[in-house]
Amino acid sequence: MPETTNIIIAGVGGQGVLLISSVLARAALLAGHDVKTNEVHGMAQRGGSVVAEVRYGTKVFSPLVEPETANLIASLEEIEALRYAHYLAPDGLAVVSQTQLVPTTVSSGGAHYPPDSRERLKRVFPNLRSLDLVQAAKEVGNPKAGNMVLLGVISTLLAIPPDRWEEAIETSVNSKFLDLNRRAFALGREKGRE
Amino acid sequence: MPLKREILSGNEAIARGAWEAGATFASGYPGTPSTEILENAVKYPELYCEWAPNEKVAFEAAAGASLGGSRSFATMKHVGLNVAADPLMTFSYIGAVGGFVAVVADDPGMHSSQNEQDTRQYARFAKIPILEPSDAQEAKDFMKFAFMISEKYNTPVILRSTTRVSHARSLVTLAEREEHPRAGFHKDPPRYVPIPAWGRKMRVKIEERLHSMRSRSEATDLNRIEEGTDELGIVTCGIAYQYVKEVFPTASILKLGWTYPFPDSLIHRFAGKVKRLLVVEELDDFVEEHIRSLGIPCDGRNLIPGIGEISPERLRQVRARLEGGEFDLATPVQESIDLPARPPVLCPGCPHRGVFTALHHFDVVVTGDIGCYSLGVLPPLDRLDTIICMGGGISMAHGLAKSGEKKNVVGMVGDSTFFHSGITGLLNVAVNQSKVVILVLDNRTTAMTGHQDHPGTGRTLKGENTVAVSIEAMSKSAGIDQVFTVNPYNLEELAKTFTAAFAASGPSVIVTRAPCPLAQKKTLGPVNVINQEKCVKCLACLRVGCPAVEATGGKPHINPTLCAGCGICRQTCRVGAISG
């Protein structure tokens, strides 16, 4: 493992990117690491691209992940993963939901959504896990739980013990949705181990 | 008891620091990246917090609390300090009694702002100290330190955050609260009233205050030398410090946490230790210019342009250049260069969409304002022509119309910004009688910053019910006769009202009122569906710019998971192909 683990989580405003980064940061803290995250708030959240960065290790200075250093890129949407491809470290991993959200720049006719997005993902991410998170979230009973399924998958790729993840979820998630989020996370772990 | 550690954002840490310092009063106006400070501060019951109509009011309210001996603070974004600049400049003369901190969050790179401003210039302008934390721990610690020096030197203090300090999260060691009971107001007009005779005395005191603070800033932990190689010394502050630590692990560093008044002796001592001096700071060359004025040669702006954010990557390029090499900035991979942009857009179900859609039928000039409706400038809505600042749309519409513009002029404002600084512009419209249409897009909240209450919502930051100020009643009491209230989801009603307002001989106010569906967290009606057999592919429904209305291969369809059921697209369909 490198001294600092660098993770990028991408998606679209409203998909729950920030919850992933917040649980991930807490799990890293509980596992005894120094941790920093960076988030985007405000204007960009209105249906725009959203990215969060998490860095943990012995001592972390900058909250920003530099290009070509991300050990893991996780994305809730296909082209949002492509957008950050140049942040991937040479041996980095990628976990991407097979979700395609069409931006208004496309629906208003000015741009087009690449029809070969999945092929492109395979080309730019040598270590790619492509997952149908929308279907997975339906399995746990809520189409909006895809973010926690993704977190479950991520958790199997990082050296943070399982009980730390459970504690991190308990302390970060609204108690009303705790059961749902736990189930989504567990399903993600199953998928991660497949 | 073991010290508790938490992961906090810079904004959460600032709130915590104020609470630990025994603060009892806080006021502010929402603005990215500062908003979450008060939203977190209000969670501490010992600390009274309120949203003010604007930053000037927030600043003055906190200044009043300070004169009563309470530790108080005001929060705002960088452009908010422009609004509060008037009290800032003279409160510096009067000075704080209970500790007073203006917490100002800058937005280098303009993530959510209309300009870039370096708040440190205001500290020098107002002759008061400024502190620059580099992470959440410092944000908390510096907040406490700010209250302390504010009381010791009877000065307002600015705590400057930036987007990457406010919104980055990192570990913070928590402490208990220290109580600071308020001393009460003691009558002392020569101290609190800057009429010229007394103001001139205050003016002298300010210079003396700067002088004594300078010797204190030389000897504080906030300004420290981190010993490294003598080949390169770097003077840095704020978030840039963290990037310097990543990119120049062996350099000697002078970390400035208390930037102004500048610690001159410390700077001289540091510069004397190293062969080459580099200044790394975000936005203006505030520190660099001063170092040069001390007669010390240094690198800075010549290597790092003062536009936008600094990043570790940009510093790697600087390092390569200093070492006589090259460093190529990473460029997006081939597979991502033609990706469609995903700019922020009005949400599905946004009531503003109806207003912009209805305005498409009128050839008018629209002077706009800061808020979600700023997004109405982008295609396909494209129905907004100017923006300067909050409330500016009303006053600019007046000036444009009065100066002879032939087209009808619409001044746009939001509900929160109407109270922020739209009212004074409206008074001008009424008294000097311009033939403009003032459009108040009232969605019952301050939406863009994440749904904060304002004087029109009938609720306080603490969640208590209060009076709800009426925009219509205020407009009428200003002497504007034509005041309309319309439903922004009804395009026909909007068009009729616009026509009536443009035909009127004097000014009119149209309030388009519907609550932000994102704040309400509920859908407005059944999901709409396009009947593909009836659809004539005119694509009029795409002109509403709704994320839920998509088109593939020239055929429009509605994404059922995104549709909020507002029915605006349905009203634009001439053949009745959309139903819900």
Side-chain angles (χ1 to χ4, degrees):
Chain A
M1 281 298 271
E3 204 186 325
T4 304
T5 302
N6 298 318
I7 300 163
I8 285 184
I9 303 145
V12 176
Q15 281 192 304
V17 166
L18 299 189
L19 182 65
I20 299 180
S21 69
S22 129
V23 179
L24 180 47
R26 186 164 293 275
L29 166 68
L30 293 170
H33 297 289
D34 185 23
V35 58
K36 283 192 178 170
T37 74
N38 179 56
E39 298 168 359
V40 171
H41 290 230
M43 197 174 201
Q45 281 180 301
R46 298 280 170 266
S49 296
V50 172
V51 66
E53 292 151 89
V54 180
R55 305 187 71 216
Y56 65 85
T58 321
K59 172 72 188 164
V60 180
F61 289 106
S62 164
L64 304 179
V65 174
E66 291 181 58
E68 296 171 11
T69 69
N71 307 98
L72 172 65
I73 293 182
S75 179
L76 290 158
E77 207 274 348
E78 289 193 341
I79 63 166
E80 294 311 316
L82 286 174
R83 231 183 270 286
Y84 297 97
H86 62 294
Y87 278 79
L88 193 75
D91 56 349
L93 312 172
V95 185
V96 182
S97 173
Q98 293 165 2
T99 307
Q100 300 175 343
L101 294 178
V102 180
T104 45
T105 48
V106 171
S107 43
S108 62
H112 74 283
Y113 195 102
D116 60 340
S117 56
R118 211 152 297 163
E119 290 308 309
R120 292 188 189 197
L121 286 168
K122 282 180 194 156
R123 283 207 297 278
V124 298
F125 297 119
N127 303 309
L128 172 71
R129 293 288 305 269
S130 173
L131 300 156
D132 189 347
L133 290 182
V134 176
Q135 181 54 38
K138 275 185 194 152
E139 280 174 40
V140 291
N142 190 321
K144 292 194 169 162
N147 60 340
M148 289 307 272
V149 181
L150 183 67
L151 184 71
V153 179
I154 294 173
S155 74
T156 63
L157 303 170
L158 302 171
I160 294 173
D163 58 327
R164 302 291 187 268
W165 289 103
E166 281 156 27
E167 195 182 337
I169 292 171
E170 239 168 70
T171 47
S172 312
V173 167
N174 183 330
S175 57
K176 260 202 304 196
F177 304 109
L178 188 55
D179 183 53
L180 170 73
N181 281 300
R182 274 189 182 138
R183 275 186 288 126
F185 181 78
L187 181 67
R189 277 190 79 81
E190 262 176 51
K191 296 203 173 286
R193 290 200 211 92
E194 275 166 17
Chain B
M1 204 174 79
L3 294 169
K4 203 177 164 219
R5 288 199 311 167
E6 239 335 311
I7 301 178
L8 298 182
S9 70
N11 282 349
E12 288 168 340
I14 290 167
R16 175 78 193 191
W19 176 79
E20 288 181 8
T24 51
F25 182 94
S27 187
Y29 183 78
T32 313
S34 72
T35 312
E36 302 85 359
I37 301 167
L38 271 198
E39 289 183 321
N40 283 287
V42 75
K43 294 174 185 167
Y44 300 103
E46 302 90 340
L47 175 48
Y48 170 82
C49 295
E50 63 180 26
W51 289 125
N54 67 28
E55 296 85 354
K56 177 179 185 290
V57 175
F59 190 107
E60 291 158 347
S66 166
L67 294 195
S70 298
R71 287 196 160 183
S72 64
F73 64 105
T75 71
M76 61 203 71
K77 68 184 294 178
H78 60 298
V79 284
L81 189 57
N82 301 333
V83 179
D86 198 358
L88 168 75
M89 297 307 289
T90 304
F91 191 49
S92 169
Y93 278 49
I94 291 160
V97 178
F100 174 98
V101 186
V103 183
V104 186
D106 287 4
D107 188 16
M110 296 187 264
H111 294 277
S112 285
S113 306
Q114 65 270 41
N115 74 8
E116 276 185 339
Q117 278 180 205
D118 194 326
T119 289
R120 297 178 299 173
Q121 303 284 13
Y122 267 113
R124 184 162 52 184
F125 194 19
K127 301 176 190 293
I128 61 172
I130 189 163
L131 309 182
E132 293 188 73
S134 299
D135 62 15
Q137 179 71 55
E138 287 190 350
K140 195 199 78 160
D141 295 344
F142 286 18
M143 194 64 185
K144 294 165 84 169
F145 186 82
F147 281 114
M148 190 272 286
I149 57 170
S150 172
E151 285 170 4
K152 185 171 167 55
Y153 299 98
N154 300 122
T155 178
V157 177
I158 297 178
L159 184 103
R160 180 213 192 197
S161 181
T162 56
T163 305
R164 305 296 185 185
V165 172
S166 280
H167 289 163
R169 293 175 183 275
S170 55
L171 294 182
V172 177
T173 303
L174 305 182
E176 293 305 312
R177 176 176 165 92
E178 294 164 27
E179 292 297 339
H180 276 263
R182 71 186 287 277
F185 182 78
H186 297 289
K187 188 176 168 70
D188 189 0
R191 178 160 174 208
Y192 300 142
V193 184
I195 53 170
W198 293 332
R200 287 185 202 107
K201 289 184 180 144
M202 296 174 186
R203 175 76 190 83
V204 176
K205 273 194 172 172
I206 286 171
E207 297 301 325
E208 291 166 357
R209 186 176 72 195
L210 272 180
H211 184 73
S212 53
M213 280 193 294
R214 188 169 291 120
S215 42
R216 179 75 171 87
S217 79
E218 303 276 6
T220 161
D221 293 345
L222 276 70
N223 296 331
R224 63 165 190 263
I225 292 173
E226 295 179 10
E227 302 277 357
T229 168
D230 59 2
E231 293 297 319
L232 177 67
I234 301 177
V235 184
T236 187
C237 44
I239 191 68
Y241 164 78
Q242 307 292 354
Y243 306 155
V244 166
K245 293 293 279 185
E246 292 273 344
V247 178
F248 297 92
T250 60
S252 291
I253 294 172
L254 171 57
K255 184 191 183 300
L256 298 181
W258 182 351
T259 325
Y260 186 82
F262 301 103
D264 290 352
S265 308
L266 192 62
I267 291 169
H268 275 296
R269 185 146 51 90
F270 181 71
K273 281 171 183 272
V274 295
K275 291 179 184 151
R276 188 166 192 176
L277 195 65
L278 170 68
V279 184
V280 182
E281 55 189 328
E282 241 169 9
L283 296 184
D284 293 349
D285 49 353
F286 184 72
V287 176
E288 180 187 350
E289 197 179 66
H290 181 72
I291 290 178
R292 286 181 194 283
S293 80
L294 296 174
I296 302 169
C298 60
D299 290 303
R301 277 296 157 267
N302 55 328
L303 296 169
I304 316 163
I307 301 171
E309 289 189 298
I310 291 179
S311 66
E313 206 197 2
R314 278 175 80 183
L315 288 188
R316 289 199 194 279
Q317 209 172 25
V318 172
R319 183 178 159 179
R321 221 173 284 168
L322 285 173
E323 291 168 358
E326 290 284 326
F327 178 87
D328 294 326
L329 294 178
T331 49
V333 297
Q334 188 66 32
E335 282 78 2
S336 65
I337 45 179
D338 66 339
L339 295 179
R342 199 185 293 276
V345 284
L346 294 178
C347 305
C350 177
H352 301 337
R353 180 170 288 109
V355 176
F356 288 115
T357 303
L359 274 174
H360 275 148
H361 301 289
F362 298 88
D363 183 20
V364 293
V365 181
V366 181
T367 52
D369 184 89
I370 309 286
C372 287
Y373 33 75
S374 301
L375 298 170
V377 71
L378 298 175
L381 293 173
D382 187 20
R383 209 63 206 90
L384 197 155
D385 300 300
T386 71
I387 288 179
I388 298 185
C389 58
M390 290 188 183
I394 296 181
S395 325
M396 286 183 74
H398 172 85
L400 189 57
K402 274 284 187 189
S403 63
E405 175 57 39
K406 290 198 172 60
K407 285 184 184 173
N408 281 313
V409 184
V410 176
M412 193 174 276
V413 70
D415 44 345
S416 189
T417 56
F418 177 85
F419 296 111
H420 179 281
S421 45
I423 294 168
T424 40
L426 189 69
L427 296 178
N428 191 39
V429 165
V431 171
N432 292 312
Q433 285 290 305
S434 51
K435 194 185 134 3
V436 295
V437 174
I438 303 306
L439 205 44
V440 188
L441 276 63
D442 181 1
N443 60 357
R444 317 301 299 147
T445 187
T446 315
M448 182 61 101
T449 45
H451 304 114
Q452 290 75 31
D453 283 297
H454 61 64
T457 64
R459 207 174 43 222
T460 67
L461 174 57
K462 293 169 82 71
E464 291 156 351
N465 290 330
T466 184
V467 293
V469 181
S470 161
I471 295 167
E472 288 89 337
M474 287 202 83
S475 305
K476 282 179 186 158
S477 69
I480 293 180
D481 299 327
Q482 305 267 349
V483 179
F484 307 90
T485 308
V486 293
N487 170 9
Y489 293 115
N490 187 331
L491 298 185
E492 201 182 319
E493 191 185 336
L494 281 167
K496 272 186 191 161
T497 313
F498 290 156
T499 307
F502 292 137
S505 56
S508 49
V509 169
I510 303 173
V511 182
T512 67
R513 177 168 296 130
C516 171
L518 202 63
Q520 303 262 306
K521 294 193 169 76
K522 61 181 185 191
T523 52
L524 299 154
V527 165
N528 286 286
V529 182
I530 300 179
N531 180 330
Q532 296 295 342
E533 282 171 18
K534 280 191 188 171
C535 175
V536 294
K537 320 283 181 285
C538 72
L539 305 185
C541 53
L542 287 176
R543 279 214 74 192
V544 304
C546 178
V549 188
E550 302 170 348
T552 38
K555 276 167 72 173
H557 56 92
I558 294 170
N559 183 332
T561 60
L562 292 177
C563 177
C566 73
I568 289 172
C569 63
R570 192 168 63 226
Q571 297 169 63
T572 66
C573 184
R574 283 166 294 178
V575 294
I578 305 178
S579 58

